[in-house]
Amino acid sequence: MTSVTDSERVEQANTALYEAMERGDHAAMERLWLHGDVSCVHPGWPVLRGRGEVLRSYALIMANTEYIQFFLTDVEVSVSADTALVTCTENILSGAPAEEEGELGPLVGQLVVATNVFQRTPEGWKLWSHHGSPVLTENEEE
């Protein structure tokens, strides 16, 4: 029998964050975040501080997103005592608003590099901070 390492547990917690977003599962999102002094930076947003403000931002995003799917690449996990750092690339596919009721809008792709910081708690690894930064494509740089 093999035991699950801290790195594997952290990677599972990181994956759960993106799965909760894909499902629009706000209750799961609440379970993933630490209680207390947390922070979040969504691409293009100012820094959000505090659990209430961070969870409200996710509720707003989930309520206004028809469809979203994350394909994580370049996932790197580093654990030091009770803190863990995950860096990854979020390859995001999302549905823009539909022009007509009952239809899915056009799909839009986006690349975001993310840093997620976790803290070990008695209930498992909880998200302390998320920072997402858009990756500019060559066309956008011109």
Side-chain angles (χ1 to χ4, degrees), residues 20-124:
M21 280 288 295
E22 289 177 351
R23 293 190 314 269
D25 187 342
H26 196 262
M29 188 64 69
E30 288 178 344
R31 290 189 299 273
L32 292 167
W33 280 86
L34 273 174
H35 286 271
D37 189 22
V38 298
S39 67
C40 180
V41 178
H42 298 295
W45 290 41
V47 178
L48 304 174
R49 297 189 193 284
R51 184 176 161 83
E53 193 173 339
V54 168
L55 290 174
R56 272 191 298 280
S57 73
Y58 280 101
L60 183 66
I61 291 168
M62 288 188 268
N64 291 290
T65 304
E66 290 282 322
Y67 170 86
I68 193 163
Q69 190 170 9
F70 294 88
F71 301 94
L72 301 182
T73 56
D74 309 314
V75 178
E76 296 286 334
V77 179
S78 177
V79 178
S80 178
D82 292 335
T83 305
L85 179 70
V86 179
T87 57
C88 61
T89 301
E90 303 171 355
N91 300 270
I92 306 169
L93 188 60
S94 60
E99 290 184 20
E100 294 189 30
E101 190 68 32
E103 290 184 10
L104 183 64
L107 293 178
V108 178
Q110 183 181 11
L111 280 181
V112 172
V113 290
T115 301
N116 296 319
V117 182
F118 292 85
Q119 189 173 71
R120 187 196 318 265
T121 73
E123 297 80 39

